Amino acid sequence: MGLHRVLEPTGVLPQAALRLDASPEIGPDEVRVGVERLNLDAASFRQLRTAHGGDGDAVRAAVLEIVGTRGKMQNPVTGSGGMLVGTVQEVGAESPLGLAPGDRVATLVSLTLTPLAVTDGLASWDGRSEQVPARGHAILFARSIVAVLPDDLPVPLALAVMDVCGAPALTHRVVAARPGASVAVLGAAGKSGSLALAAARRAGASRLVGLVPTAAEEERLRAAGLAGEVVRADARDPVAVAAAVGDPVDVTVVCVDVPGCEHGAILSTAPGGTVVFFSMATSFPAAALGAEGLAADVTMLIGNGYVPGHASMALDLLRNEPGVRASFTARTGGDSAQ
Amino acid sequence: MGLHRVLEPTGVLPQAALRLDASPEIGPDEVRVGVERLNLDAASFRQLRTAHGGDGDAVRAAVLEIVGTRGKMQNPVTGSGGMLVGTVQEVGAESPLGLAPGDRVATLVSLTLTPLAVTDGLASWDGRSEQVPARGHAILFARSIVAVLPDDLPVPLALAVMDVCGAPALTHRVVAARPGASVAVLGAAGKSGSLALAAARRAGASRLVGLVPTAAEEERLRAAGLAGEVVRADARDPVAVAAAVGDPVDVTVVCVDVPGCEHGAILSTAPGGTVVFFSMATSFPAAALGAEGLAADVTMLIGNGYVPGHASMALDLLRNEPGVRASFTARTGGDSAQ
């Protein structure tokens, strides 16, 4: 679990640590990866961009400062990180991960708990995108989750898919457990949203509603064909969300990466239904007290980023659902990049 | 839902509002209650006490400032509130709550969304307890949840039970859905913890572990007889928690009202198991990323304070489980207090 890499405070797990030891020498159950690219968590990148008024140089300096100080890329405001892609450099004799030097891999555990050192000053990054070309190294632990990158997909695309692969996997599990469930996805045109829609359909959803905030996203999602109904509302406006969704659904999936979407999701969900929160911007008290205040008998799940088989399911959805691929390439700037 | 009482910002539900209109004139579906007593949320009171170095006068001033500014008792740091007891003064012609003037009631929705005015400067409160004698008024909405106080229990005791009655109800539901489940309760000697233990046993738990932080609580919980095993560890130390619980359990219930208990709860839970977070101090990202970082395939529930029948179940547990009553009276200072 990497406890020996925790410098401060002692006794906590790496994700809760203020500072990790990112030195390159590996222990017997560790793996060192040469970093090629970081993929910042959407909520984290949005916070940094907003805090620095969109100034790319300032955002780059802020990321360097965080990594330099903490020995990991964990945004102190949002608490979130992201993931990375790189090439295995060295494998400890007792590592159970099954990797060999030269394997090109993506980490599926959060950057918030991954010891990381950056050595190129992020010189190739303009600070204006979540995808950060970088040189340096990262350390994987025995319990880390890592995927060898597929040969048939561009790296940025595979990385973007794997970053949110918990969402479709958990959505599939929840919907499959309620045969014929009606499902609404808030933030449906984004990465996790489009995957969640495709997963819900595959799991047997009956009615399938995609909610988006803008006319442009509405048009895009309609063209993607992932939802039976595409509706538009500000996900932070609970009354508008409930009106847009119409008849309350059995399962609501929240993929909107801005704060304040808890109440709309609760209002859109039928009694006995389930809300799955994937956004790192979710507030625990807002959800818990909101449901209580609305006398809403709904089950609320914290979107666990780990479900066995999550990466392969998400990649499979991407390969077989043109609408998912279209949603991703609209964001990552085309399949042809890198 | 009380949207018309929201002064700022417009469009949000009362719980998310910065400021509510607490004026005493009621609408046709509202009820005005004359306040007798507030019961502050444990996390909120702890934060206020710590922030003011235990100075009761300063804590009282802080609560008055919050209520005066916001028109509700919602701690801006923790986001949480509490509940209140009082007597119905006036009932709107269209109120569906079934109340009559003179009914002595407890609100089961959070103070975070209840318009509240305090008129006595909290003069009867020393600022050193969560239970706050108060004079003033509060407004209930059509969808509010309210319980007429039972005749057979002292008011502070009934109030303390109702404040945490979501915990036993949801624990019962989760455990009953997994026949013979093993269960651990973190923070087991407290109010919600003791009720959760009793509910888990009633729901058919096999192994039942209660975790507490101190020798004094260990002794108290052992005497109460609510848990099959009583173990001791700091719930914020994940490795210590996992070691104390031993074999991972099917269901872990978190009732500790301090931050940083997410990882220990996840580590104590077997693959395929469920963690139920009741503490308002729970961090959504710490839970979501912690499970991912540990490759833990666990279902994580946000403890919804509303489950149909929750108040009557909790009162029933209190009446029939001497160990529960003992846990409560150790906290509320005896059954004899008003």
Side-chain angles (χ1 to χ4, degrees), chain B residues 63-102:
Chain B
V63 170
L64 282 168
E65 165 73 18
I66 291 169
V67 176
T69 306
R70 307 196 67 172
K72 59 178 178 173
M73 179 53 213
Q74 180 176 28
N75 182 321
V77 177
T78 63
S80 59
M83 55 183 298
L84 65 82
V85 69
T87 302
V88 173
Q89 293 177 334
E90 188 181 357
V91 178
E94 297 168 19
S95 168
L97 298 179
L99 297 173

Side-chain angles (χ1 to χ4, degrees), chain B residues 239-259:
Chain B
V239 177
V241 170
V245 170
D247 282 342
V249 293
D250 299 313
V251 178
T252 301
V253 182
V254 182
C255 296
V256 184
D257 66 351
V258 295

Side-chain angles (χ1 to χ4, degrees), chain A:
Chain A
M1 299 183 292
L3 291 170
H4 57 288
R5 291 275 184 173
V6 174
L7 295 178
E8 182 191 354
T10 52
V12 302
L13 296 179
Q15 196 249 314
L18 289 174
R19 213 155 49 86
L20 297 180
D21 171 9
S23 53
E25 298 75 23
I26 59 171
D29 63 353
E30 293 183 333
V31 170
R32 188 179 63 252
V33 174
V35 175
E36 292 175 27
R37 181 181 289 268
L38 311 176
N39 196 24
L40 302 184
D41 170 74
S44 171
F45 179 69
R46 176 186 292 260
Q47 187 275 328
L48 288 166
R49 191 178 52 190
T50 304
H52 296 285
D55 177 347
D57 290 339
V59 170
R60 183 174 54 222
V63 170
L64 282 169
E65 166 73 17
I66 291 169
V67 176
T69 306
R70 307 197 66 173
K72 60 177 177 174
M73 180 53 212
Q74 180 176 27
N75 182 321
V77 177
T78 63
S80 59
M83 55 183 300
L84 66 83
V85 69
T87 302
V88 172
Q89 293 177 335
E90 189 180 357
V91 178
E94 297 167 20
S95 168
L97 297 179
L99 297 173
D103 281 348
R104 202 152 181 225
V105 296
T107 62
L108 302 185
V109 292
S110 173
L111 288 179
T112 59
L113 52 89
T114 303
L116 173 69
V118 168
T119 53
D120 69 345
L122 302 178
S124 309
W125 182 46
D126 63 6
R128 297 177 186 282
S129 150
E130 302 159 10
Q131 302 242 357
V132 184
R135 291 290 170 271
H137 67 264
I139 306 296
L140 307 181
F141 308 130
R143 267 184 92 160
S144 293
I145 313 169
V146 64
V148 175
L149 285 167
D151 292 333
D152 63 332
L153 296 172
V155 168
L157 183 59
L159 197 53
V161 172
M162 290 176 174
D163 184 37
V164 294
C165 64
L170 186 53
T171 299
H172 189 279
R173 180 185 280 184
V174 169
V175 174
R178 298 177 70 105
S182 54
V183 178
V185 176
L186 312 189
K191 296 188 293 182
S192 56
S194 63
L195 281 168
L197 279 175
R201 177 171 285 169
R202 185 178 283 193
S206 55
R207 185 173 165 234
L208 194 50
V209 183
L211 184 138
V212 295
T214 64
E217 290 204 0
E218 190 176 351
E219 191 177 337
R220 185 144 58 87
L221 185 56
R222 249 186 249 288
L226 293 170
E229 305 164 37
V230 179
V231 299
R232 203 200 317 171
D234 182 337
R236 296 165 297 186
D237 181 338
V239 177
V241 170
V245 171
D247 281 342
V249 293
D250 299 314
V251 178
T252 300
V253 182
V254 182
C255 295
V256 184
D257 66 351
V258 296
C261 302
E262 299 85 1
H263 295 170
I266 292 165
L267 273 184
S268 303
T269 307
T274 298
V275 183
V276 192
F277 290 102
F278 281 110
S279 166
M280 285 300 150
T282 303
S283 157
F284 184 94
L289 297 174
E292 181 182 318
L294 293 163
D297 181 19
V298 294
T299 298
M300 296 185 289
L301 297 182
I302 296 173
N304 182 348
Y306 176 68
V307 176
H310 58 347
S312 54
M313 174 189 280
L315 290 169
D316 190 57
L317 288 169
L318 182 88
R319 290 189 184 102
N320 293 295
E321 301 283 349
V324 171
R325 186 147 185 160
S327 293
F328 271 74
T329 50
R331 288 217 161 200
T332 57
D335 278 9
S336 60
Q338 150 120 8

